[in-house]
Amino acid sequence: MMLRSGAGFALASLTPVPLLVLGATLGGAWAWGALLYLTLFAFAMDELIAWADAPDSEFPAGDLLAAALAVAHFAVFGLVVWAFGRGIAPVQGAALFLGAGLFFGQISNANAHELIHRGSRVLHGLGKWVYISLLFGHHSSAHPLVHHRHVGTARDPNTARAGEGFYAFAARAWPAGFGAGLRAETARRGDAPAWRHPYALYLSGALGFMALAFLIGGWTGLAAFLGLALFAQSQLLVSDYVQHYGLVRREADGKPEPVGPEHSWNAPHVFTGHMMLHAPRHSAHHLHPARRFPELDVPDVQIAPLLPLSLPAMSFIALAPPLWRCIMDPRLAYWQSEPLGDPHGQPLAA
């Protein structure tokens, strides 16, 4: 199947780019293109295509695709800000805003996450600047230095607690993640000059993007930029919320157990998996942070929990905390008692 080859990653992740470009420049029905693609079309494709249970074929052009997506992110951001600055009809503007915000929050975020784990300074820098453009540059430090080290423990701000609603989580995780990353970077850098501190770049870069948005689109463009950045940040936070909700690492003698496949919720859906560069195969990423996205596999369903729907669908459900708890708390209770389940997160028959 095409979606089990390298070309599938490019097709699924890059398709929103021309749709957003046409929506920003031509308006009209094109403004709806990316929104419909990232919602209804993606959900339908996930339901139609059988789940994947193995890594995809080798994809030597994976780094090129990641770099292309980063460049496209900046181009699309500029065009959308320009479209709002020149004036766009309210209904079309709402569709364009939601489509662009979903692209930044789902695809740009997944791609930046992939890039900041790269050893290449160029690729790592691209991912860092994508996060800076979303006014979330600190994630480039907090994610590898705090989240990966402390995931599944009370020391990780981005691990959601059992019973914690998304909005309470987001209000806690954003400032706590910022502070934890700052402390980790400061401790790592020792006596290095303050102006060389990564957080100085994150903050000055954010101000620079805000100034650029004003130059491109005036006050309206700046407002659109700030709204899009906030929308994208909320999706990054909700993806963390969904992928680690309630899963904890047991401690012995004050030390947590090693990170295992049972400490992340996973989604094996093929289409959104390719669209998000296998970010929903989250257990494999935590076990092998440096592994490139085509090589990530779906963990054995006997030892790792699976989400009942795709990551984007469950992220949408998380916005309604009572519904989320109704769906997820029974699954969480089961996995907390004994890590055995079927692909739907339900216990296997005896």
Side-chain angles (χ1 to χ4, degrees):
M1 181 184 292
M2 176 273 298
L3 279 174
R4 291 182 63 82
S5 68
F9 289 109
L11 181 62
S13 61
L14 284 171
T15 294
V17 174
L19 295 176
L20 288 168
V21 170
L22 291 169
T25 55
L26 300 180
W30 288 111
W32 292 85
L35 176 60
L36 294 174
Y37 176 86
L38 291 164
T39 53
L40 298 180
F41 182 79
F43 182 81
M45 291 295 286
D46 274 339
E47 294 300 306
L48 291 172
I49 301 174
W51 285 0
D53 57 3
D56 293 276
S57 58
E58 292 186 7
F59 185 28
D63 286 353
L64 180 60
L65 172 61
L69 282 169
V71 173
H73 164 86
F74 297 116
V76 168
F77 224 142
L79 275 175
V80 172
V81 168
W82 170 81
F84 278 94
R86 72 186 175 98
I88 186 172
V91 174
Q92 296 175 20
L96 180 63
F97 180 91
L98 291 173
L102 288 172
F103 174 74
F104 300 143
Q106 293 181 10
I107 298 178
S108 290
N109 167 44
N111 185 52
H113 169 260
E114 175 75 16
L115 288 169
I116 63 171
H117 282 284
R118 288 288 200 270
S120 163
R121 291 184 63 183
V122 172
L123 294 177
H124 179 88
L126 276 173
K128 176 176 65 179
W129 278 102
V130 168
Y131 279 130
I132 291 173
S133 75
L134 297 174
L135 310 183
F136 213 67
H138 70 272
H139 195 68
S140 303
S141 294
H143 179 78
L145 298 179
V146 180
H147 178 62
H148 270 269
R149 180 179 179 185
H150 299 299
V151 64
T153 74
R155 291 180 289 277
D156 175 33
N158 287 67
T159 294
R161 301 159 182 163
E164 185 177 28
F166 167 65
Y167 302 104
F169 165 80
R172 173 180 64 81
W174 203 115
F178 184 95
L182 176 61
R183 290 189 295 272
E185 281 286 9
T186 301
R188 187 173 70 148
R189 299 186 67 80
D191 296 329
W195 64 269
R196 296 183 61 184
H197 197 291
Y199 271 60
L201 178 64
Y202 303 154
L203 296 175
S204 61
L207 291 174
F209 274 106
M210 292 170 62
L212 181 60
F214 178 78
L215 290 175
I216 294 173
W219 290 109
T220 304
L222 176 59
F225 170 77
L226 294 174
L228 285 167
L230 181 61
F231 187 19
Q233 291 175 24
S234 70
Q235 291 173 81
L236 186 154
L237 289 168
V238 79
S239 67
D240 275 345
Y241 175 83
V242 169
Q243 289 174 313
H244 295 289
Y245 175 73
L247 298 174
V248 297
R249 292 157 63 190
R250 296 179 177 87
E251 295 196 8
D253 299 325
K255 294 183 179 180
E257 64 183 327
V259 176
E262 68 273 20
H263 298 127
S264 299
W265 294 96
N266 300 271
H269 302 80
V270 175
F271 187 81
T272 50
H274 281 72
M275 188 179 77
M276 302 176 73
L277 306 185
H278 278 174
R281 300 185 175 192
H282 210 58
S283 287
H285 169 68
H286 272 277
L287 288 170
H288 310 285
R291 185 173 289 180
R292 286 168 167 76
F293 65 88
E295 302 167 356
L296 299 177
D297 57 1
V298 178
D300 186 340
V301 298
Q302 298 289 332
I303 59 174
L306 299 186
L307 295 167
L309 296 172
S310 68
L311 177 57
M314 293 307 297
S315 295
F316 182 73
I317 290 172
L319 301 180
L323 179 59
W324 169 266
R325 287 193 291 269
C326 180
I327 294 172
M328 291 300 295
D329 281 2
R331 290 170 167 83
L332 176 61
Y334 175 75
W335 280 97
Q336 287 177 326
S337 63
E338 185 179 5
L340 294 173
D342 71 4
H344 296 283
Q346 300 296 334
L348 291 172

